[in-house]
Amino acid sequence: MWWGGRGRSFNIPPQKEPEMGLLRPKSMQVSGMEEPRSPQNSSCPALQYLPEEQVLAWAPGVRRGLEPELPGTLICTNLRVLFRPQGWKGRQDSILSSDYDFALSNIGRLEAVSGLGRPQILRPGSLLKFVPDEILIHGRDFRLLRVGFGDGGLEPLAFRVAMAIIQARAQKSQAQQYDRMTLSKACWGLGPNEPPVPLLETPEDWEAERRKHGVRGWRVSTVNERFDVSTSLPRYFWVPRRTLDSEVRKAFGHFHQGRGPRLSWHHPGGSDLLRSGGFYEASDPNREDIRAVELLLQAGHSDVVLVDTVDELPSLADIQLAHLRLRALCLPDATVAEEKWLSALEGTRWLDHVRSCLRKASDISVLVTSRVRSVVLQEQGDRDLNGLLSSLVELLSAPGARTLHGLQTIVQREWVAAGHPFLTRLGGSGGSEEAPVFLLFLDCLWQLVHQFPSEFEFSEFFLLALHDSVRVPDTPTFLRDTPWERAKQSGQFSSYTQVYTPGSPQSPVGDLVPRPLTVWDWGLRYSHQQILQFYNPCYEPHHHSHSYTPREQPTPSTLGPPRSISLFSRGTLTPMNQLCPWRDGFSSLMSSSRWFLRHNTSSDSLADQEWGLPPHWGPSPLPPGLLLPGFLGPQIRLWRRCYLRGRPELQTGLSAPTISGLLDELAQLQELLRTWSSGASPGAQTKPKDPVTPLSPAR
Amino acid sequence: MEHIRTTKVEQVKLLDRFSTNNKSLTGTLYLTATHLLFIDSLQKETWILHHHIAAVEKLALTTSGCPLVIQCKNFRIVHFIVPRERDCHDIYNSLLQLSRQAKYEDLYAFSYNPKQNEAERVQGWQLIDLAEEYRRMGIPNSKWQLSDGNRDYKICETYPRDLYVPSTASKPIIVGSSKFRSKGRFPVLSYYHQDKAAAICRCSQPLSGFSARCLEDEHMLQAISKTNPSNQYMYVMDTRPKLNAMANRAAGKGYENEDNYSNIRFQFVGIENIHVMRSSLQKLLEVNGTKGLSVSDFFSGLESSGWLRHIKAVLDAAIFLAKAIVVESASVLVHCSDGWDRTSQVCSLGALLLDSYYRTIKGFMVLIEKDWISFGHKFSDRCGHLDGDPKEVSPVFTQFLECVWHLTEQFPQAFEYNEVFLLQIHEHVHSCQFGNFLGNCQKEREDLKLKEKTYSLWPFLLDDHEKYLNPFYSPSSQKLTMLEPNTVPFNFKFWRNMYHQFDRTMHPRQSVFKLIMNMNDQNKQLEKEIKELESKIKHQKNRQSDTVLTKESLRSIHPDSPTLKPSLCFKKEQTILPVNDALRTIEGSNTADNRYSEYAEEFSKTEPAVVSLEYGVARMTC
């Protein structure tokens, strides 16, 4: 049945002119088409296309929903749907735009509206039954694009572009990636002034990171170089210096998916944060293997705390459910009664999950900071919440990690290299194991940025950029499940079938092949101006210098059985008899039970126990650099700029907040003054006495 | 003084309200004639004014001592543990007496001496002149005049002496109308919108019952609608829910019958009464006082308290009012039951939305003075200044401040004042330290001779005005720019800095506001330095006839400017969301706002450097 929006009807079988869609708009000639605005030659061809990208259909339209309305062109290609405002000048370096590009896999819902009728939801494969007045593209990243089509003979184009999007979505595959994109060197990373993010694909990267953290008792292990210990582990990781690679290989075999305990991060105070998969209970290790496992967990410390990661944290299914509910709630047409908004928000449980993550991370930071010990995060798979916790703990306890570079390094190390299954978790593989753990992490991080506005070098906009990047298939960073897949794809893996010779640089390949793009190459999608917004204007790197004096460095000679082993669970430390679930492990001597008893008898938060008063009373008794976030009900906020982006009501007011507006002006003036006073003021002071002297040395 | 038996108790513990494990600070508690003072072991002082105390409660004796919980009107809640029960009992009794005075003369304002001389005090009271304010609106004019009918409070005791009415309304009409209105509060002018020639008028409910009508009152409304040349209709807003208004008819009161009045459009807006508001706030405070408050408890509690819904209702009414005036150029008459609670809220918020003057520090004082103090909002009853009927207490004014706060959140650049200003006003509405808010109406204040015996709050706020400045304020060029707030539910947030003002646990660990104020200070310092440098350069130029040398000296700076440019491109309009604003992207590509890049270029050209720098500074300061 065909019917038109305003009583008119159209009958445009899309199959009649199939060749039309494949043409570039440049050569497209629609007879009798009225061109209301500038000729199409100027709007469409200005667009640079990706390699292998084909334009399927396009139509002139008006971006709606936000003031002002913006004329432009809606284009559907085999890779993405994009809107190009009229007169948009593509930047030289960047082909993609963070504002108007929707990768096909990012389209969560497509709606067509005609007249006053109910919007029709267009699923892949469904048929559009009318000529749309307006198309709404709901991104799975909470963005919304509303494009309206005027009349004036443009309806066929509007219909065609809508059909093209439907068909393109039906054919898309998640793992599809924008291929062979290149970027000029100037746009790599955050810009030429920032150090590149270590990709941790070479032992040199790991060694450099190790040195940077001042980790002494650890070394880079190459045991997984061919991914034969575990495909989900990075090729290199840190293990205790005194453990041999053969021991590592044997010990890791007794862990779930071969993911044994590895160093995640070394606290400058001396503690080590380890992450590990669950014990593989069915295995039957011999005595030496158990000994090796224990040495790995103990990591040269006399205090070992095993943290049951999933305890008190939401399950993957919980996270996914909460996120789905949140997305449904934040849709512009969400049918939530006005007075029920708060309970609907609460009902998503998303904020509650954020709270429990923050709480647990803050407790673990206390464990790591308060005394020198080995803290082992243990999660069955070691690929989801372990990454979330270890990243948060590092950000909470180490001021140095709170820079843009620091955060990117953490994400690269604890998520990308550590094998977080991005593709599966973000719904790319179509399986049922979807759970946006990484997005939960970003929300936790936003809460921290919100609570400590001057502690982080990155701004909310950077977190948004990271949030939006997970669904853009421009780089393989977030498009793979394991480091192994990533290495296979980038073609480097083949070079490792050769015999490894220690000491020789591993990848001379990097010089020949163009450097593979990563998500950290922000220039791909963000303009220079946008990248500048990634910096938090309020950032004060005041206690950047490590004021930690390493306490009680573990002396390798005293290595014996650990003095204390405890399990951190439900907010308290419980003593354990042995580290491993198998028999024959050495048991704890229970000599320092004083420490446990104190913990068992009180339900205090860990910070209270360690430093007495809660941190908000009187002068802060906290160790320098440690942040303890608040996690009471009113302190957890909704990330409105992210989740409510599709709601035009959010943008009201005479003008949007301009905290940074004011601050830039200040920064610019400061900069100018600095330039000026360094150049002019010494002269200004001396010149009245002797006008020639300050300038004469230059001659 | 006769109420104080114990002046000092040692070894008192102050409990943290939100800690689940009863953490405490130990210190000494002092009781003075005006304040309760706690000095903890870290020498931090906590002062509590007796008048701020809303409730004192002595809980059951525990092993560590006798718990004493004090709830304050400024939402401070302290939980002491006094070691000996007798001390606790003494303090409890003293506080009960001191916090509930029976006579106005015993309030702090009558003894408070801020070391001002008599002339300064008189000047302070003259700071706000309502006649001047009406002149600012263009009143009196040919349509509106000052009525002397209420000179001696003969027509309405709770109204001020000076009232503005339509020129065509004769005294018999005024008197007749006042007899038909509850408490004699007949329709008078509250705000006049000069551009639209439309007026906001206020009154109380008519004594219409089921059928009564009053010709004078009908004439009065007609006279008001005739003052507006562009729209013959006028709105009559009844701010009550329809059900409440109908119930009032049984008591011989009620609402206007559209058939009896020509050219009115009648509208209910449904703001609940003072009792609903009071219990709503109580629920809100209960929820937020919970120890270890979880996310879900907080949200469900916040919703079931209904507080934000009430705030939204008040704001919606004000928006309706403002739109009627701006969009339809219609005059509006606002009333509720007695016309001193909801009517004050809606009239003042409506005027705030319409007139940017009220968004300045001085203007906001004028607004409170006009729509709240002079028109007889019963501050003493509503705030419980004296020991009186607890049913009369209601957070009506707090709600008004919260509505204003929500507006400041939605329009960060539109207000000259900041949150601290609102909090400070709230503090003093309850403190009884200044005379402004004592009493229930102007007549009562005159009888109390407040202007002779007490001080006015406003000059003290003005002296401190730097503390209350909003760093983002950019005054609009037009006098009358209407704010159009959006009242979708997610725009309403819990006002943490009000209701958890004293609970530092709940605050972000760092305040953006403070950071920005610090930067502002730095900014000013830098501006000063720039000026100094400028004058030095000028001085130097005068001394130097050899211009080549100057050129050289300035060129030496030039190599630095390329590194400067990245930051120069960082524009104000770029700082919103990258996703939201499309135009920005287009403009961004050709660097629309190039004042700083111009500035940098100019800078390298030597001669006009000083001029362009001045330009930059001017932009900073304006």
Side-chain angles (χ1 to χ4, degrees), chain A residues 146-217:
Chain A
R146 267 177 74 185
V147 179
F149 305 102
D151 23 41
L154 299 180
E155 292 88 349
L157 289 175
F159 182 82
R160 215 169 281 139
V161 80
M163 282 308 292
I165 299 174
I166 296 172
Q167 282 160 8
R169 279 182 78 201
Q171 285 158 11
K172 60 118 195 203
S173 81
Q174 185 77 26
Q176 183 184 41
Q177 190 193 337
Y178 301 163
D179 272 333
R180 290 189 282 128
M181 285 181 55
T182 50
L183 194 61
S184 85
K185 197 167 180 177
C187 291
W188 285 359
L190 282 163
N193 298 329
E194 287 275 346
V197 177
L199 298 181
L200 300 170
E201 282 169 357
T202 62
E204 290 81 10
D205 276 359
W206 286 90
E207 182 59 24
E209 278 292 290
R210 191 188 69 81
R211 290 226 181 90
K212 213 178 80 193
H213 288 289
V215 191
R216 292 224 192 86

Side-chain angles (χ1 to χ4, degrees), chain B residues 34-79:
Chain B
T34 53
H35 289 84
L36 183 70
L37 169 63
F38 179 77
I39 303 180
D40 62 32
S41 48
L42 303 162
Q43 298 305 311
K44 211 184 111 226
E45 298 176 3
T46 309
W47 291 82
I48 298 172
L49 187 66
H50 295 328
H51 296 312
H52 269 148
I53 296 176
V56 200
E57 203 182 347
K58 213 169 58 150
L59 303 182
L61 197 67
T62 65
T63 45
S64 50
C66 190
L68 186 70
V69 180
I70 300 173
Q71 283 184 40
C72 299
K73 290 168 184 167
N74 53 6
F75 308 113
R76 185 202 285 272
I77 295 181
V78 283
H79 196 142

Side-chain angles (χ1 to χ4, degrees), chain B residues 103-123:
Chain B
K103 294 199 309 268
Y104 281 115
E105 285 75 12
D106 293 333
L107 293 177
Y108 186 31
F110 289 89
S111 56
Y112 175 63
N113 184 359
K115 301 193 180 68
Q116 265 192 350
N117 63 35
E118 193 58 27
E120 280 172 321
R121 198 186 62 187
V122 172
Q123 236 176 4

Side-chain angles (χ1 to χ4, degrees), chain B residues 501-559:
Chain B
Q501 212 178 137
F502 299 96
D503 303 307
R504 287 187 51 210
T505 337
M506 307 303 268
H507 291 217
R509 300 304 197 253
Q510 292 153 340
S511 128
V512 179
F513 178 73
K514 271 184 196 146
L515 287 169
I516 286 168
M517 291 316 269
N518 284 346
M519 292 191 168
N520 249 0
D521 289 346
Q522 281 177 19
N523 212 352
K524 278 183 193 134
Q525 187 64 33
L526 287 169
E527 274 170 39
K528 223 176 83 188
E529 280 173 39
I530 285 179
K531 282 210 180 92
E532 273 167 25
L533 285 167
E534 257 172 59
S535 64
K536 267 180 196 163
I537 284 191
K538 264 184 195 151
H539 183 67
Q540 178 190 328
K541 265 189 195 154
N542 294 342
R543 299 272 310 246
Q544 257 185 329
S545 51
D546 189 358
T547 47
V548 184
L549 281 182
T550 323
K551 247 176 202 164
E552 282 295 329
S553 78
L554 281 163
R555 196 162 289 156
S556 64
I557 309 161
H558 191 202

Side-chain angles (χ1 to χ4, degrees), chain B residues 352-379:
Chain B
L352 189 77
L353 291 178
L354 290 168
D355 194 331
S356 24
Y357 175 65
Y358 299 127
R359 295 171 220 143
T360 62
I361 288 184
K362 178 82 187 291
F364 193 62
M365 297 173 178
V366 169
L367 184 68
I368 292 175
E369 190 75 39
K370 172 169 73 75
D371 270 313
W372 292 86
I373 298 176
S374 86
F375 276 115
H377 173 68
K378 305 203 290 175
F379 274 106

